[in-house]
Amino acid sequence: MARSQALMIEIATGDARPISKQIVDGIRMKVATGALALASQLPSVRGLAQQLGINPNTVAKAYAELTAEGWLESRQGLGLFVAPPRQRLSRAERDKRLDEAVSRFVHDVVALDLPAGEVLARLDLELQAFAPKKTA
Amino acid sequence: MARSQALMIEIATGDARPISKQIVDGIRMKVATGALALASQLPSVRGLAQQLGINPNTVAKAYAELTAEGWLESRQGLGLFVAPPRQRLSRAERDKRLDEAVSRFVHDVVALDLPAGEVLARLDLELQAFAPKKTA
Amino acid sequence: MARSQALMIEIATGDARPISKQIVDGIRMKVATGALALASQLPSVRGLAQQLGINPNTVAKAYAELTAEGWLESRQGLGLFVAPPRQRLSRAERDKRLDEAVSRFVHDVVALDLPAGEVLARLDLELQAFAPKKTA
Amino acid sequence: MARSQALMIEIATGDARPISKQIVDGIRMKVATGALALASQLPSVRGLAQQLGINPNTVAKAYAELTAEGWLESRQGLGLFVAPPRQRLSRAERDKRLDEAVSRFVHDVVALDLPAGEVLARLDLELQAFAPKKTA
DNA sequence: GTGGTCTAGACCACA
DNA sequence: GTGGTCTAGACCACG
């Protein structure tokens, strides 16, 4: 359980997100859904960079962000591991980020002139797909 | 007719969005909700720039984007006006953009570890605020 | 891969079109006809600006327009690339733009008092030059 | 035949063309198709400006352009009249303008990705509508 | 007066 | 290195 073999993360060249964000999102999702078990080890910076064919600096930056957010923790000389779940952000900080995400989403979507019902249904579907951790 | 006096748009320095995008979002929302009536004139590039304390080129860029998106139309030597609504984008393109917005939102929000119900309720509230256009 | 070496685009000082539009038209035509292959990289903003002897902002503006129109897509920190083809505009919007182009062309050309047959033959010739994309 | 009463020209506010070009196009079309007979008098600058609700300078500019192109001629102290048909432009000048119009049209229309046949059919239709003068 | 274009030079995030 | 944004100031066409 401690050694992760490949960490199936994929970099989509057609994706609008910067590569580092794709890594952050991918790993965070795996941790949140339990696909990456608690205390399992992550691939080394150089290893993941080579596997994905990208610059090691980009991987390092992603790891640093995940560590700062509390999803990962480093153990001296051993590497990076999935951190135990805890309240990573204050309520105020989470509200602020939620506000930003909601505001951005609404602004992006209002330009499309789609019925609100359709948008909500679409979102509901996607959000449900990432809840399993709580029930497991 | 329908001279807009001040166009209450505010630039938030703490906002992560670039200034020009804040203007685009603000005006697009006003047009979409009907707060800016069809055929009403917008403040001049130089006027709005002065009012907001920013460079006229920044306002011009925002206006150009809104014109390209079909929300505004320019009349040479006269100014910019709210254009009649039309469905500019194909269904496929709107679906693509909705997918991107949803994906981004989910990725941003899953990091907050909030209950899906709360997130959906929050979004529902915001989206409903932009329905009045249809009935007006 | 598919690094474009020089991108033979030329700026005609005697051309009535603004410089940025000349660039947009030139690149769009190359993409539409397949002269610029899918996923090939474009010259850098600074590089093309130097090559053409113009300001980098002018190139950036042209690139931004092509990106907004869906011909190009940017990958952060890497550069701009030819995007996969898609049908961005609704049928209604394309009809509207065709109407405008036709109307403008007729108004411009009627002033020349040329036989309609000659004009149509000339246009037919030019339009056929842009069919190869489909077969390639 | 000499006194023109109203000169049914309409300024469309939603038209992308500058007002002066709308006037030039409108009058030129009427002369080319014979709707405005040879030697008939045009409304005065002030009269037409008042009728259209626009700036007299705009009308004067349009009249000046039509006179320079040879469609109208002024008779000292009497006013402007439709000039007798003659070769208003050299062959080289006409070829140059035709090239520009064709180039612009092709560039505008290639962005729409419409079948060449449809575009040509559309153009043929519009061009035929303005040939009657020759046959009359 | 209006918007549109271009130049020049600065600063930022990302790789 | 890459593109993206902003400022500053100039010039143009149109009304």
Side-chain angles (χ1 to χ4, degrees), chain D residues 19-57:
Chain D
I19 297 176
S20 63
K21 186 165 197 310
Q22 291 186 45
I23 298 174
V24 168
D25 284 348
I27 294 180
R28 189 161 51 198
M29 204 65 86
K30 284 188 190 305
V31 174
T33 59
L36 255 177
L38 174 62
S40 55
Q41 185 178 12
L42 279 87
S44 72
V45 167
R46 285 188 205 81
L48 185 56
Q50 189 169 9
Q51 173 192 331
L52 299 177
I54 61 178
N55 192 312
N57 291 336

Side-chain angles (χ1 to χ4, degrees), chain A residues 15 30 51 53-55 72 74 79 97-98 103 108 110 114 118 129-130:
Chain A
D15 200 314
K30 283 189 192 303
Q51 173 193 329
I54 62 178
N55 192 313
L72 306 181
S74 81
R97 295 208 191 180
L98 178 58
S103 171
D108 283 352
V110 77
L114 292 166
E118 180 182 338
F130 300 111

